Amino acid sequence: LNPFSSASATSEIIELHIYPIKSCRGISVQKSYLTRQGLDLDRRWMFVDAETMKFITIRNISQMTQIDTSLDTTSSNLTISIHSTPHSITIPTRPSPAWLETNTTLSRVTIWDHETDGHIYSESINSLFTTFFSKPVKLVYKGPTPRILRGNGALELLGREESTNFPDVMPLLIANEGSLWELNGRLKEKGHQEITVERFRPNIIVKGAESVDSVTKGGLPGAWSEDSWKTVRILPNGEQKSGIASLLGGGEKPLEIDVQARCARCQVPNVDPDTAEKDKKEPWDTLVSYRRIDEGIKWKPCFGMLGCPRNEGEIGVGMKFEVVETTGAHVYVKGFLSQMLLERPLYPIARIACLFRVGFTVHEISCRIRSNCLTSFRELEVGACTLSTRLHMILPISRLTT
């Protein structure tokens, strides 16, 4: 991040949301603590099928939005309740090792194609949710083993190794208010009711303008201008300090976030979080009509941006939000299809990209890695490829999505 750079757009945080349990109802908060793994307490828990130990989401069970979450005044306890019923349980948000040993069992769980560890709660806690789901399920608290980021968040693309808890892809999802306004305008024209930003389950919502200009006269980001955000900065105490002033102004260091990818959407936003009813068409149909904009995942529309914090600190509604760097080169990289390639330190992704460039298929590269045939760096050194070269700059998109 260039400390002498000026913001290309200036806004402010208007909402913060955490979703303690993956796919369940979230909590609107006025302030939180931003960690390298995301907002404090965000997606620290999830439900898994008791037999397969695979994660469960709204994608298949829209009724999960009827599981409410709330925190006590000190954020020491999480209450999980079934909407419109008297049934609830309360668990500590930061359980001690002794509490975990008594009330949970450490086990392996699966989220997408990635296996990680989690503390499985006892049947005395799970029984309420087994009744709700009408099948055996287990509540899981993220275990101690880091869940290393893949895809756009991988070391080879981000430049450092980061981890997260139970989000799908990355620690943070940022949404632009202006883009929601623009989308709602289209929905209203079609006779559909406006929707709330909660359907997209973002963590940080920033003030925006409905105009499609990248930056409006007032300096606010226009609708969909977030597509090109690369680095954003959040200023402490609501005080705006651009460029060199951010270094000389004293006080806390601004929070910095690498914006790594657009968020490719499934049909979860079609689910009304208040009723758990899933609309058969909207907003999916409208989004598909004009928001399939990412060459890396052309069959899905995009809303919001995925990010990785560079540092940690307090964050709150009203803080200034600056767009420091932009890029026209965002391309979505699937995280879990490339997991095997990224886990091999001997074959960084830039080298593997060289093989793609000269015509090798995914299967051929996988076979060569497994048989340890790639022993010569010269064999991989094609053109000007270097370890710092981003995947999307040297790979044809058609080869990426094969």
Side-chain angles (χ1 to χ4, degrees), residues 143-368:
T145 305
R147 182 173 167 241
I148 304 301
L149 299 186
R150 312 294 178 186
N152 292 91
L155 168 65
E156 290 79 1
L157 298 183
L158 180 61
R160 62 184 186 276
E161 187 175 86
E162 295 286 5
S163 64
T164 192
N165 294 306
F166 291 137
D168 280 345
V169 182
M170 289 191 204
L172 279 178
L173 177 57
I174 306 172
N176 175 2
E177 176 192 41
S179 300
L180 180 67
W181 283 346
E182 198 277 341
L183 171 61
N184 273 330
R186 292 174 183 257
L187 292 174
K188 286 173 64 179
E189 288 178 1
K190 298 171 71 172
H192 194 278
Q193 188 175 3
E194 292 185 358
I195 62 175
T196 65
V197 75
E198 185 184 0
R199 293 201 184 204
F200 296 96
R201 303 178 69 80
N203 299 114
I204 300 173
I205 300 96
V206 300
K207 188 175 182 61
E210 191 172 355
S211 168
V212 294
D213 295 332
S214 59
V215 182
T216 64
K217 291 182 180 179
L220 291 175
W224 310 117
S225 62
E226 65 271 24
D227 289 335
S228 63
W229 294 351
K230 183 179 180 182
T231 308
V232 299
R233 179 164 53 202
I234 297 168
L235 301 173
N237 304 321
E239 185 178 353
Q240 186 171 339
K241 297 178 181 178
S242 298
I244 189 62
S246 67
L247 289 183
L248 303 181
E252 298 177 65
K253 183 179 179 182
L255 297 171
E256 297 168 358
I257 301 168
D258 288 305
V259 182
Q260 288 297 105
R262 303 179 183 97
C263 184
R265 313 306 309 211
C266 59
Q267 292 196 23
V268 164
N270 282 31
V271 177
D272 183 335
D274 290 324
T275 65
E277 293 180 3
K278 183 177 180 179
D279 192 286
K280 293 181 179 179
K281 294 185 176 182
E282 299 294 357
W284 172 264
D285 284 4
T286 298
L287 285 169
V288 164
S289 71
Y290 76 115
R291 288 295 299 165
R292 289 188 293 177
I293 59 165
D294 195 299
E295 293 294 333
I297 191 162
K298 285 289 287 185
W299 61 94
K300 283 192 173 184
C302 298
F303 186 104
M305 300 301 289
L306 298 165
C308 300
R310 292 183 182 178
N311 55 350
E312 302 186 341
E314 293 183 356
I315 184 172
V317 171
M319 279 187 167
K320 293 294 181 182
F321 180 95
E322 293 184 341
V323 180
V324 181
E325 288 184 90
T326 60
T327 179
H330 278 313
V331 177
Y332 192 93
V333 177
K334 286 187 174 181
F336 299 100
L337 291 181
S338 59
Q339 177 183 340
M340 184 274 292
L341 301 180
L342 293 174
E343 282 183 338
R344 300 289 180 124
L346 186 60
Y347 307 115
I349 201 163
R351 301 188 186 187
I352 293 166
C354 296
L355 294 182
F356 272 99
R357 190 72 170 176
V358 295
F360 284 93
T361 66
V362 173
H363 177 70
E364 289 169 337
I365 294 173
S366 299
C367 290
R368 291 168 80 84

Side-chain angles (χ1 to χ4, degrees), residues 48-60:
V48 298
D49 183 283
E51 294 184 6
T52 65
M53 300 301 281
K54 292 184 177 180
F55 75 131
I56 302 171
T57 76
I58 309 173
R59 293 173 182 86
N60 299 316

Side-chain angles (χ1 to χ4, degrees), residues 83-117:
H83 192 69
S84 298
T85 77
H87 306 301
S88 68
I89 63 160
T90 299
I91 55 177
T93 55
R94 307 176 205 283
S96 66
W99 193 97
L100 289 171
E101 185 175 355
T102 301
N103 296 277
T104 72
T105 303
L106 190 63
S107 182
R108 304 299 293 176
V109 296
T110 301
I111 174 169
W112 293 111
D113 296 325
H114 181 66
E115 194 176 88
T116 187
D117 59 1

